[in-house]
């Protein structure tokens, strides 16, 4: 049974007050199993937005209107989609899906304007009565095994975050190898039994990571060098292109709202910018997925799954080399 996280010993004051306990416990959830009705990831979204508003002015994103009232084919499933922009923030968007006693989904992400090289805030959780599958990270804009400057700029000081959570939310085992390129040394990739206690820890991690992202955003200074802005934009576009094509949540979204709505949701809401931030195609970025007839291979992974254990050491050095495929 995991311990409740203590406050971090790092530079950031990551203390969590107030909302936590009742936030994830849910009224009438009745112990273990799926998150309690009406609580869950919605309360993270609410608090995260409140925290954002304390620091900046959110305005509704143009995608908001079209997706605000998206409805599932199945009346029992409720989708809630919110999107905003703000100074420095190109897109801050959230999707939750809740189907009572069945699934709960969180997909919360934040992308900066290309004038900043900020990591992408990425919080994804898929919860059933049997397990929760979670990815929480500040996804790097650049491959940090190659770009040491970028790694040092953002992750050197953030390692306390993963030290705080790596035991409580342990590595989830082998993972689609391609995903690793988009992850940072502080990524929380985990699968756990959806108990109240585990979700309490997750909630605390979500808030800690998000607050750090907000701090980084506060501190970020605008890039004036056009070449660097163009590079940032392309890096974000490459990320959007990957996720819009290969998101593991797509089959479920398709089931919930039908194929054409699911495609719209993915390209115009979740990964908005995939059609406007750049012109390169999926195969321009990820050539290894090309089929002989020029179409994109439907497989999620060409390399397969690897990395049984966390492939970074405590300093954030990549140590999964032999497994990298
Ligand atoms: C599974 N979701 C997963 C897995 C990962 C992620 C790593 C485990 C399977 C695997 O190894 O690929 C998430 N992968 C990511 C993220 C990135 C990445 C965030 O590369 C970022 C770069 N998950 C959602 C949403 C839904 C969802 C919105 O975020 C549904 C609407 C569902 N995720 C979902 C399901 C699985 C899953 C059903 C298990 C099925 C599977 O393994 O394919």
């Amino acid at each position: 049974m995991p311990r409740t996280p203590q406050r971090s010993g790092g530079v950031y004051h990551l203390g969590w007050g107030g909302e936590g306990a009742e936030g994830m416990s849910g009224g009438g959830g009745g112990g273990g199993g799926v998150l309690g009705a009406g609580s869950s990831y919605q309360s993270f979204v609410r608090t995260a937005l409140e925290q954002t508003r304390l620091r900046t002015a959110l305005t509704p994103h143009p995608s908001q209107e079209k997706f605000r009232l998206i409805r599932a084919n199945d009346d029992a499933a409720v989708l809630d989609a919110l999107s905003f922009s703000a100074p420095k923030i190109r897109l801050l968007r959230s999707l939750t899906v809740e189907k009572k006693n069945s699934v709960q989904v969180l997909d919360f992400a934040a992308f900066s304007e290309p004038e900043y090289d900020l990591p992408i805030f990425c919080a994804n959780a898929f919860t059933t009565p049997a397990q929760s599958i979670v990815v929480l990270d500040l996804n790097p804009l650049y491959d940090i095994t190659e770009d040491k400057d970028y790694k040092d700029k953002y992750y050197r000081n953030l390692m306390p975050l993963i030290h705080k959570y790596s035991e409580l939310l342990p590595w989830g085992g082998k993972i689609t190898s391609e995903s690793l390129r988009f992850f940072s040394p502080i990524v929380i990739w985990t699968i756990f039994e959806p108990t109240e206690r585990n979700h309490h820890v997750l909630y605390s991690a979500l808030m800690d990571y998000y607050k750090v992202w907000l701090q980084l955003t506060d501190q970020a200074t605008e890039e004036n060098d056009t070449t660097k802005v163009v590079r940032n934009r392309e890096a974000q576009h490459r990320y959007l292109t990957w996720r819009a094509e290969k998101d593991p949540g797509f089959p479920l979204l398709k089931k919930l709202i039908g194929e054409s709505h699911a495609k719209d949701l993915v390209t115009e809401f979740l990964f908005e910018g995939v059609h406007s931030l750049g012109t390169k195609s999926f195969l321009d970025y990820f050539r290894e997925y090309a089929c002989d007839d020029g179409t994109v291979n439907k497989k999620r992974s060409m390399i397969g799954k690897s990395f049984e254990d966390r492939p970074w050491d405590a300093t954030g050095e990549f140590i999964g080399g032999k497994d990298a495929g």
Side-chain angles (χ1 to χ4, degrees):
M1 165 114 30
R3 289 167 285 121
T4 306
Q6 304 302 305
R7 72 165 291 266
S8 149
V11 272
Y12 301 92
H13 186 79
L14 300 171
W16 176 250
E19 254 256 357
E22 73 275 15
M24 288 309 288
S25 62
V34 82
L35 300 180
S39 65
S40 70
Y41 299 124
Q42 290 268 357
S43 84
F44 163 69
V45 174
R46 258 196 317 273
T47 313
L49 292 177
E50 274 166 24
Q51 289 289 323
T52 316
R53 285 196 176 96
L54 291 176
R55 292 164 180 267
T56 189
L58 291 177
T59 43
H61 187 272
S63 64
Q64 172 73 100
E65 198 150 334
K66 181 165 176 199
F67 294 97
R68 183 74 189 94
L69 294 170
I70 192 156
R71 286 192 53 147
N73 302 329
D74 166 0
D75 278 345
V78 178
L79 284 81
D80 196 9
L82 295 168
S83 62
F84 303 92
S85 49
K88 300 187 182 178
I89 303 175
R90 185 184 71 78
L91 174 65
L92 170 64
R93 89 317 182 261
S94 154
L95 174 74
T96 54
V97 181
E98 304 206 336
K99 189 170 172 184
K100 215 174 166 191
N101 301 320
S102 169
V103 289
Q104 306 238 20
V105 174
L106 171 72
D107 186 341
F108 189 103
F111 304 89
S112 67
E113 293 284 3
E115 284 75 17
Y116 305 86
D117 66 358
L118 282 164
I120 296 158
F121 180 81
C122 164
N124 286 71
F126 172 77
T127 297
T128 65
Q131 62 179 15
S132 286
I133 303 177
V134 174
V135 174
L136 171 61
D137 194 20
L138 272 54
N139 290 153
L141 204 55
Y142 297 105
D143 185 332
I144 35 140
T145 47
E146 286 160 19
D147 191 335
K148 296 282 178 227
D149 289 345
Y150 189 81
K151 185 179 156 205
D152 286 348
K153 178 173 179 184
Y154 286 114
Y155 298 99
R156 190 205 287 266
N157 292 331
L158 296 182
M159 293 310 290
L161 272 177
I162 193 60
H163 300 153
K164 180 176 174 185
Y165 288 108
S166 60
E167 270 182 44
L168 296 163
L169 299 170
W171 186 254
K174 285 192 173 181
I175 183 167
T176 305
S177 307
E178 283 84 350
S179 294
L180 250 285
R181 293 180 301 204
F182 299 98
F183 290 176
S184 83
I186 61 162
V187 67
I188 293 176
W189 147 243
T190 192
I191 301 182
F192 56 71
E193 201 190 327
T195 60
E196 238 170 65
R197 205 168 167 78
N198 284 340
H199 276 107
H200 185 84
V201 176
L202 173 61
Y203 192 69
S204 164
L206 285 165
M207 281 317 307
D208 278 355
Y209 275 60
Y210 188 61
K211 284 181 188 170
V212 165
W213 188 83
L214 286 175
Q215 278 176 10
L216 294 176
T217 305
D218 267 356
Q219 292 158 7
T221 51
E222 186 170 344
E223 180 61 68
N224 295 314
D225 180 339
T226 324
T227 318
K228 290 187 178 160
V229 175
V230 167
R231 196 169 160 259
N232 290 342
R233 186 180 292 112
E234 178 163 309
Q236 193 177 133
H237 184 248
R238 179 175 182 274
Y239 177 93
L240 293 166
T241 303
W242 168 259
R243 294 207 56 194
E245 182 73 33
K246 295 293 175 194
D247 205 275
F250 188 73
L252 176 66
L253 291 174
K254 200 166 118 180
K255 209 167 114 191
L256 285 169
I257 58 176
E259 182 158 10
S260 94
H261 284 135
K263 279 193 172 148
D264 284 354
L265 187 67
V266 164
T267 57
E268 293 173 38
F269 181 85
L270 292 176
F271 306 111
E272 193 277 338
V274 67
H275 291 325
S276 58
L277 244 52
T279 51
K280 285 192 182 170
S281 69
F282 183 85
L283 291 178
D284 291 333
Y285 291 124
F286 310 103
R287 187 156 298 283
E288 63 278 19
Y289 281 82
C291 294
D292 289 343
D293 63 359
T295 57
V296 175
N297 197 317
K298 290 278 175 252
K299 284 209 276 195
R300 283 211 46 242
S301 172
M302 301 306 290
I303 315 174
K305 295 198 177 196
S306 42
F307 310 108
E308 188 69 54
D309 300 303
R310 188 171 190 85
W312 292 276
D313 70 12
T315 68
E317 202 58 38
F318 189 68
I319 49 167
K322 63 173 176 11
D323 233 358

